[in-house]
């Protein structure tokens, strides 16, 4: 595997564990295997390391409030972003039992979107904030949807497919105006753009380790101090009873290290990586006819580019790219086994001619200019070949 | 990640017969952009009425492209009467196998072929297939009619909504038609099962094993072997379990690219005709 060339442009799906992160977590899988809940020094001393990790994550998201014992208790470790999302929404519904309404955006990750559908089945009225053709939230409709019956609003900080960044501070303010709790799924945002909860009215925030160079299987739920919280998982006293279950020590340490690295690399993300992303976009759209960038050009994550290629189908494109060792994703139907293009593209009203051929490139600080040049060089041939096969690519392609 | 076999990958990466036949005798396009796959097929006949030239253009995933390519290889040289009998199962047989959720790609191939033949015979609208216009639309997301669902279920012996979705996409998006699809399936199999399928099967299964084996062996020796020997091939009965007959292809069949088709359309068809319709033949 490692001898073959691999160009990994699928960092919104998952990221490589940073070597420093792996080194930091390794001892906790080997010699330091103690249980942080133990009385003996061997186990109990691990707790201090967990608290260091917690402090690093608190610093990354600006969760700077501490409790009387000087602990950053707003940060709760979970198993993944989805667990954090689910816990947040269910907790909010229990916190305000008299309110039933839930407001989410139409372009949420399935961790929230499918939960919304499930809540509808259980009798909760759920509203979905629409987006425009560039995937921007319809803030007017949003404000109409939130009212004094609304228990919780959950809107993602940044979209995984388009990379669009949403005006979360403003959304939180509006939710609070009506007394609703506000949660944000910040899985794609944390580590890529500055996220500061202390500047905002955000009540709860989810993040996931494997999107920022920590391993899979570790997540965080931030709960602002003073927000009523109901745990989803009941058992031992871990995480002060807010999330029972023996701590995933090695992964927690890893996430702490990853957060520390992200504080430094965020600068690189927003300068060098952004420049590479822009170069990739310009290179592809400049050399391939009827290729277009989807999403909001003004407010996007610096690493993400969603490009629609007319008259060709995404899975075919990805498989041709895969032969060259280039990894990316597609919003097309066929790649997932579902039969429809992604809900995000449909919510944006992207024409089917383009939606089926949308490819998402997502970079990280590990990508190089050489890799980007290679992709720019290879893409035109792939698209031209598939268009040659396509009955829709004629002298007059649909526009 | 789809688990495509080498044959599928070969047809995807090196598709045969791409393009459009000039002055075609028959041409048709099925599927459309909104569904995510479409296939345009055109053919020309020679003076004996055999398909001399056939070409395709496909918008779709790797298996859609591979299925189209396999279809053109399969039907080249066939008479229209032969081509008419080609089903999606034959296309899958050429490819060896397709992931379940991709079987609709092979159905699209069969539909394009039938529509192109209909176009040749009746000068029908080359933009659509008769299935698509007959009957009442059940799946609104993918515009699939009750007639099409019924035909596909019967052709492929499908019993669940999930299988219907794999073969023709119906029910694969909003899911609101699942109940109706189930009703259609219940209708078909309630009518069918007691009389035709199961009674013949039950009768056969009530025989002692040795007699069952002898019957199958007799059919293989008298009906199937002579057919294969014409092309230098051969066949041996290996085992039987329930409705599955395991055979070993020998001689020229071993390296023959159409061995899959032979198995399904030759061997399996004969056994189904003579014994009972649920028989499945597998090669070992």
């Amino acid at each position: 595997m490692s001898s073959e060339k691999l160009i990994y442009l699928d960092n919104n799906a998952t990221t490589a564990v940073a070597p420093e992160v792996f080194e930091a977590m390794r001892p906790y899988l080997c010699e330091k295997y103690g249980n942080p809940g133990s009385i003996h020094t061997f186990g109990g001393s691990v707790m201090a390391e967990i608290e260091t990790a917690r402090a690093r994550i608190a610093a990354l998201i600006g969760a700077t409030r501490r409790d009387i014992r000087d602990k950053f208790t707003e940060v709760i470790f979970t198993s993944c972003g989805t667990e954090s999302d689910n816990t947040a929404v269910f907790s909010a519904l229990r916190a305000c039992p008299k309110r039933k309404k839930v407001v989410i955006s139409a372009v949420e990750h399935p961790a929230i979107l499918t939960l919304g559908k499930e809540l509808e089945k259980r009798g909760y009225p759920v509203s979905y904030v629409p987006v425009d053709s560039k995937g921007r939230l319809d803030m007017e409709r949003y404000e109409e949807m939130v009212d004094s019956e609304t228990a919780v609003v959950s809107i993602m900080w940044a979209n995984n497919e388009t990379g669009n960044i949403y005006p979360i501070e403003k959304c939180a303010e509006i939710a609070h105006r009506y007394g609703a709790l506000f949660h944000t799924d910040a899985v794609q945002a944390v580590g890529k753009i500055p996220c500061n909860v202390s500047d905002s009215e955000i009540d709860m925030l989810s993040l996931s380790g494997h999107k920022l160079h920590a391993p899979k299987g570790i997540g965080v739920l931030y709960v602002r101090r003073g927000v009523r919280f109901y745990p989803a998982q009941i058992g031992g006293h871990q995480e002060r009873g807010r999330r029972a279950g023996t701590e995933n020590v090695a992964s927690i340490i890893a996430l702490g290290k990853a957060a520390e690295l992200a504080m430094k690399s965020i600068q690189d993300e927003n300068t060098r990586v952004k420049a590479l992303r822009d170069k990739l976009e310009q290179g592809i759209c400049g050399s391939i006819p009827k290729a277009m960038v989807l999403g909001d050009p003004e407010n996007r994550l610096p690493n993400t580019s969603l490009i629609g290629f007319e008259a060709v189908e995404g899975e075919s494109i990805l498989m041709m790219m895969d032969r060259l060792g280039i990894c990316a994703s597609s919003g097309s139907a066929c790649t997932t086994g579902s039969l429809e293009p992604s809900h995000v593209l449909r919510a944006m009203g992207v024409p089917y001619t383009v939606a089926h051929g949308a490819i998402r490139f997502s970079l990280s600080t590990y990508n190089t200019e050489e890799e980007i040049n290679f992709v720019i060089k290879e893409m035109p041939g792939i698209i031209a070949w598939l268009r040659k096969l396509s009955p829709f690519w004629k002298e007059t392609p649909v526009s | 990640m789809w688990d495509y076999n080498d044959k599928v990958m070969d047809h995807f990466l090196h598709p045969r017969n791409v393009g459009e036949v000039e002055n075609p005798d028959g041409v048709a396009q099925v599927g459309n952009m909104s569904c995510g796959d479409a296939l345009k097929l055109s053919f020309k006949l020679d003076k004996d009425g055999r398909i001399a030239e056939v070409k395709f253009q496909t918008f779709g995933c790797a298996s859609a492209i591979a299925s189209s390519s396999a279809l053109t290889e399969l039907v080249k040289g066939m008479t229209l009467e032969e081509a008419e009998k080609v089903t999606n199962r034959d296309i899958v047989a050429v490819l060896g196998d397709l992931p379940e959720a991709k079987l609709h790609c092979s159905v699209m191939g069969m539909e394009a072929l039938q529509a192109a033949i209909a176009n040749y015979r009746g000068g029908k609208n080359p933009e659509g297939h008769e299935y698509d216009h007959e009957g009442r639309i059940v799946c609104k997301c993918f515009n699939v009619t009750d007639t099409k669902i019924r035909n596909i279920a019967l052709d492929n012996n499908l019993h669940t909504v999930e299988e219907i979705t794999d073969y023709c996409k119906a029910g694969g998006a909003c899911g609101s038609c699942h109940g109706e699809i189930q009703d259609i399936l219940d209708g078909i199999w309630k009518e069918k099962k007691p009389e035709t399928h199961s009674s013949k099967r039950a009768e056969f299964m009530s025989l002692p094993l040795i007699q069952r084996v002898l019957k199958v062996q007799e059919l293989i020796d008298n009906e199937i072997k002579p057919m294969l020997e014409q092309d230098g091939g051969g066949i041996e009965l290996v085992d039987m379990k329930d409705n599955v007959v395991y055979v070993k292809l020998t001689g020229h069949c071993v390296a023959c690219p159409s061995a899959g088709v032979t198995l399904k359309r030759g061997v399996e068809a004969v056994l189904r005709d003579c014994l009972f319709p649920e028989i499945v033949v597998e090669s070992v």
Side-chain angles (χ1 to χ4, degrees):
Chain A
M1 247 333 250
S2 57
S3 64
E4 279 181 30
K5 187 165 68 174
L6 179 82
I7 298 181
Y8 190 76
L9 302 180
D10 202 11
N11 288 278
N12 286 9
T14 194
T15 59
V17 173
E20 300 92 323
V21 168
F22 181 69
E23 278 315 308
M25 77 185 286
R26 201 202 52 79
Y28 297 89
L29 294 167
C30 302
E31 57 268 26
K32 296 189 186 176
Y33 56 81
N35 188 327
S38 297
I39 291 295
H40 45 75
T41 317
F42 174 64
S45 64
V46 172
M47 189 51 94
E49 302 302 321
I50 289 182
E51 292 312 320
T52 307
R54 201 187 305 279
R56 285 172 173 170
I57 291 145
L60 179 65
I61 59 172
T64 46
R65 284 171 284 256
R66 296 180 224 191
D67 72 354
I68 45 169
R69 290 171 309 144
D70 216 24
K71 302 271 169 61
F72 293 93
T73 45
E74 293 177 320
V75 172
I76 304 168
F77 290 110
T78 66
S79 68
C80 60
T82 300
E83 186 195 327
S84 300
D85 286 344
N86 273 252
T87 304
V89 171
F90 281 117
S91 169
L93 287 173
R94 276 193 69 189
C96 349
K98 291 208 177 103
R99 295 163 173 245
K100 292 285 175 215
K101 278 193 179 174
V102 178
V103 176
I104 67 178
S105 85
V107 295
E108 292 299 311
H109 184 273
I112 289 290
L113 195 67
T114 314
L115 178 61
K117 304 276 179 213
E118 174 62 25
L119 289 174
E120 277 189 72
K121 281 187 206 153
R122 298 189 193 179
Y124 292 91
V126 181
S127 307
Y128 302 85
V129 186
V131 296
D132 69 7
S133 63
K134 289 192 159 35
R136 293 174 297 209
L137 277 189
D138 185 337
M139 291 299 281
E140 252 174 57
R141 291 281 295 120
Y142 168 54
E143 209 166 339
E144 285 165 20
M145 285 172 175
V146 188
D147 58 24
S148 55
E149 308 274 281
T150 308
V152 57
V153 174
S154 178
I155 292 179
M156 63 200 332
W157 198 311
N159 184 269
N160 47 314
E161 292 188 30
T162 55
N164 281 7
I165 300 168
Y166 294 125
I168 287 311
E169 285 92 347
K170 182 98 180 53
C171 292
E173 249 177 70
I174 291 169
H176 281 182
R177 206 177 296 158
Y178 297 93
L181 284 171
F182 185 85
H183 165 257
T184 182
D185 175 341
V187 162
Q188 293 295 345
V190 172
K192 294 176 188 146
I193 52 169
C195 296
N196 193 332
V197 286
S198 61
D199 289 350
S200 76
E201 298 190 21
I202 294 167
D203 297 306
M204 291 183 276
L205 171 148
S206 304
L207 70 89
S208 169
H210 75 104
K211 309 286 191 193
L212 57 143
H213 303 292
K216 295 152 191 71
I218 184 74
V220 159
L221 178 61
Y222 155 84
V223 182
R224 189 166 52 81
R225 254 194 113 188
V227 170
R228 206 186 287 175
F229 179 79
Y230 294 88
Q233 193 156 302
I234 309 298
H237 52 78
Q238 295 88 354
E239 301 295 289
R240 294 168 56 250
R242 297 187 146 200
R243 203 279 188 178
T246 301
E247 296 87 346
N248 183 353
V249 176
S251 293
I252 289 172
I253 305 300
L255 183 52
K257 187 69 188 175
E260 190 187 49
L261 295 175
M263 298 274 274
K264 293 178 202 147
S265 67
I266 214 160
Q267 178 70 22
D268 185 54
E269 284 269 357
N270 288 277
T271 53
R272 192 185 62 88
V273 175
K274 184 171 187 290
L276 287 180
R277 190 273 315 265
D278 292 344
K279 180 175 185 181
L280 177 72
E281 262 177 8
Q282 284 152 17
I284 286 175
C285 295
S287 61
I288 300 176
K290 299 282 175 188
M292 66 201 72
V293 175
L294 304 170
D296 179 5
E298 308 295 319
N299 280 301
R300 257 190 319 161
L301 294 174
N303 78 318
T304 308
S305 179
L306 182 65
I307 303 182
F309 299 97
E310 267 190 24
V312 281
E313 200 279 328
E315 184 201 291
S316 304
I317 305 174
L318 289 180
M319 292 193 59
M320 302 292 286
M321 290 165 67
D322 188 50
R323 310 244 322 147
L324 302 169
I326 308 169
C327 307
S329 279
S330 154
S332 105
C334 281
T335 46
T336 53
S338 93
L339 293 167
E340 289 211 302
S342 94
H343 66 282
V344 176
L345 296 175
R346 276 181 292 140
M348 289 162 65
V350 174
Y352 280 114
T353 50
V354 180
H356 283 293
I359 300 293
R360 179 191 69 189
F361 301 90
S362 48
L363 286 62
S364 81
T365 55
Y366 293 113
N367 289 121
T368 64
E369 180 147 21
E370 192 193 349
E371 291 176 330
I372 298 303
N373 289 340
F374 179 76
V375 177
I376 293 172
K377 181 167 72 78
E378 295 294 338
M379 285 307 291
I382 292 173
I383 301 299
W385 163 246
L386 291 171
R387 280 178 175 168
K388 212 179 108 192
L389 298 182
S390 169
F392 298 122
W393 186 256
K394 290 269 167 64
E395 52 290 350
T396 51
V398 201
S399 58
Chain B
M1 184 80 212
W2 297 111
D3 194 11
Y4 290 132
N5 66 28
D6 291 347
K7 201 109 193 220
V8 175
M9 284 308 289
D10 180 46
H11 275 275
F12 166 57
L13 295 170
H14 312 286
R16 285 63 142 171
N17 307 309
V18 174
E20 285 178 274
V21 174
E22 264 183 58
N23 303 318
D25 289 320
V27 58
Q29 182 168 326
V30 295
N32 59 57
M33 185 72 93
S34 64
C35 292
D37 45 24
L39 165 53
K40 186 172 186 179
L41 192 76
S42 50
F43 69 81
K44 213 173 173 51
L45 300 173
D46 63 15
K47 57 183 188 318
D48 303 324
R50 288 184 179 275
I51 295 175
E53 199 184 351
V54 52
K55 287 190 171 179
F56 81 92
Q57 283 184 306
T58 291
F59 164 83
C61 55
S63 62
I65 290 169
S67 295
S68 311
S69 167
L71 169 72
T72 59
E73 275 208 327
L74 185 65
V75 301
K76 210 172 215 177
M78 281 185 177
T79 63
L80 292 187
E81 288 68 32
E82 290 166 339
E84 249 171 350
K85 294 194 192 106
V86 168
T87 69
N88 65 296
R89 283 153 48 95
D90 301 325
I91 298 171
V92 176
V94 173
L95 293 172
D97 203 7
L98 275 183
E100 271 176 22
K102 295 289 188 181
L103 287 166
H104 61 83
C105 297
S106 65
V107 174
M108 182 170 73
M110 173 185 76
E111 287 177 2
L113 177 64
Q114 291 174 354
I117 294 173
N119 169 251
Y120 165 73
R121 294 229 163 103
K124 276 194 190 172
N125 173 15
E127 287 293 314
H129 182 251
E130 53 184 310
Y131 276 177
D132 291 345
H133 302 297
E134 267 174 30
R136 181 178 48 85
I137 290 184
V138 173
C139 168
K140 294 182 187 69
C141 300
F142 293 109
N143 278 327
V144 188
T145 63
D146 55 346
T147 312
K148 177 163 172 174
I149 292 170
R150 200 166 288 125
N151 288 338
I152 283 174
L154 287 169
D155 286 353
N156 296 286
N157 194 24
L158 309 183
H159 290 259
T160 67
V161 176
E162 216 171 54
E163 288 172 330
I164 292 290
T165 306
D166 286 343
Y167 277 78
C168 69
K169 297 190 176 187
C174 75
S176 64
C177 60
H178 285 185
E180 251 183 287
I181 296 177
Q182 191 60 57
D183 288 347
I184 293 174
L185 291 172
D186 290 347
I188 298 171
W189 301 120
K190 240 177 239 153
E191 287 164 26
K192 282 258 168 190
K193 250 185 190 162
E195 307 92 72
T196 53
H197 285 203
S198 294
S199 62
K200 268 185 144 179
R201 178 178 181 165
E203 197 184 313
F204 182 75
M205 284 301 180
S206 67
L207 299 171
L209 179 66
I210 183 84
Q211 287 208 28
R212 274 184 274 155
V213 172
L214 283 174
K215 280 204 168 205
V216 172
Q217 187 69 56
E218 193 183 289
L219 284 168
I220 286 180
D221 288 344
N222 298 336
E223 306 284 333
I224 297 165
K225 254 193 192 152
M227 185 168 83
L228 300 185
E229 278 164 2
Q230 285 175 5
D231 296 319
I235 187 167
E236 284 166 25
L237 176 62
V238 177
D239 199 5
M240 280 177 65
K241 268 193 199 113
D242 292 330
N243 63 326
V244 186
V245 175
Y246 297 91
V247 299
K248 188 175 173 196
L249 292 172
T250 58
H252 286 181
C253 288
V254 175
C256 173
S258 325
V261 182
T262 305
L263 211 58
K264 292 291 165 192
R265 295 198 41 212
V267 184
E268 193 175 274
V270 169
L271 294 181
R272 283 179 174 201
D273 272 1
C274 301
L275 299 172
F276 64 94
E278 290 101 333
I279 282 197
V280 174
V281 176
E282 304 268 351
S283 80
V284 293

